[in-house]
């Protein structure tokens, strides 16, 4: 009996010493990771590998990697060069460790789907979020945005919008957007609707800036190809609202 208690005590002591050591190692690695440039970062572990040493602190470690990802993606000049090539690895790791963390899926659409030009890879990661958060309308909306704007699949995107519209808390315009995508109106108008929604509802300054740039480009295209009349006037008004005068 005494031997059993001694073994239990030894195991407990080892566990107590390993917990702070593991946290310290991950903290140090996360800080170092944020300081590295894109050229220096070449390996990001899988969620399965991290779990082997996480001791159950999956969410905490996911937060560290999220900070590292934000630092990585915030270097706009470097990302313009490498097309955010590590984004899918970061986001696959973060959502693998904490699939309930919603914000990474939004960035997944705009980095993996757009910058990396891999919308199907982005969709695979976003699917993880939909499975883990079946009542969250935001996830199928993100999937629809990704497949429409970057995958150019109006039919699949419309289905995701329609799914989102049925969920609790979904905004009233979601069903309308689903019908717009499924309709036969010109693709440019559909795209303007999608980007306009993002521009007016998104809180991330980085994504809002991208949405504004796309809106300016799209409305400018409408303005210059349209004959004088109501459509051209609408385009000019929209551009003025975006701070662009023609």
């Amino acid at each position: 009996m005494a031997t059993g208690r001694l073994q239990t005590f030894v195991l407990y002591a080892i566990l107590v010493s390993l917990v702070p050591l593991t946290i310290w190692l991950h903290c140090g690695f996360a800080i170092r990771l944020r300081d590295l440039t894109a050229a220096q970062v070449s390996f990001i572990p899988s969620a399965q590998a991290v779990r082997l040493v996480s001791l159950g602190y999956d969410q905490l470690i996911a937060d560290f990697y999220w900070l590292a990802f934000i630092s990585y993606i915030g270097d706009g000049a470097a990302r313009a060069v490498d097309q955010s090539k590590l984004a899918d690895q970061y986001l696959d790791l973060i959502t693998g460790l904490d699939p309930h963390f919603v914000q990474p899926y939004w960035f997944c659409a705009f980095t993996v789907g757009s910058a990396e030009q891999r919308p199907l890879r982005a969709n695979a990661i976003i699917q993880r979020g939909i499975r883990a958060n079946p009542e969250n309308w935001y996830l199928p909306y993100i999937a629809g945005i990704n497949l429409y704007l970057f995958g150019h699949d109006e039919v699949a995107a419309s289905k995701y919008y329609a799914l989102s519209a049925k969920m609790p808390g979904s905004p009233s315009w979601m069903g309308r957007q689903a019908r717009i995508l499924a309709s036969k109106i010109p693709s440019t108008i559909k795209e303007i609707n999608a980007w306009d929604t993002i521009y007016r509802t998104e809180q991330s300054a980085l994504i809002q800036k991208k949405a504004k740039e796309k809106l300016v480009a799209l409305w400018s295209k409408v303005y210059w190809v349209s004959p004088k009349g109501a459509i051209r006037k609408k385009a000019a008004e929209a551009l003025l609202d975006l701070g662009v005068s023609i």
Side-chain angles (χ1 to χ4, degrees), residues 15 18-20 22-23 26 50-58 61:
L15 179 61
L18 281 177
V19 169
T22 301
I23 295 174
H26 281 293
V50 171
R51 282 201 187 94
L52 293 175
V53 295
S54 70
L55 296 180
Y57 288 89
D58 293 2
I61 297 170

Side-chain angles (χ1 to χ4, degrees), residues 221-244:
K221 177 182 176 181
V222 170
Y223 179 86
W224 291 113
V225 301
S226 300
K228 292 181 179 180
I231 295 178
R232 200 173 206 197
K233 181 180 178 183
K234 171 66 176 176
E237 291 173 347
L239 287 166
L240 189 62
D241 184 55
L242 293 166
V244 178

Side-chain angles (χ1 to χ4, degrees), residues 33-49:
L33 193 59
R34 282 180 292 178
D35 294 336
L36 294 175
T37 64
Q40 292 172 309
V41 176
S42 59
F43 173 74
I44 297 172
S46 68
Q48 292 82 356

Side-chain angles (χ1 to χ4, degrees), residues 20-84:
L21 177 61
T22 301
I23 295 174
W24 178 80
L25 286 171
H26 281 293
C27 284
F29 180 71
I31 292 170
R32 175 61 180 153
L33 193 59
R34 282 180 292 178
D35 294 336
L36 294 175
T37 64
Q40 292 172 309
V41 176
S42 59
F43 173 74
I44 297 172
S46 68
Q48 292 82 356
V50 171
R51 282 201 187 94
L52 293 175
V53 295
S54 70
L55 296 180
Y57 288 89
D58 293 2
Q59 291 183 333
L60 177 63
I61 297 170
D63 288 343
F64 289 146
Y65 278 103
W66 173 247
L67 293 175
F69 170 74
I70 291 300
S71 178
Y72 167 78
I73 210 66
D75 188 349
R79 299 297 72 79
V81 174
D82 74 358
Q83 302 301 306
S84 303

Side-chain angles (χ1 to χ4, degrees), residues 98-116:
D98 186 3
H100 301 290
F101 187 12
V102 173
Q103 194 65 8
Y105 299 109
W106 186 240
F107 276 83
C108 186
F110 287 89
T111 57
V112 182
S114 178
E116 285 192 49

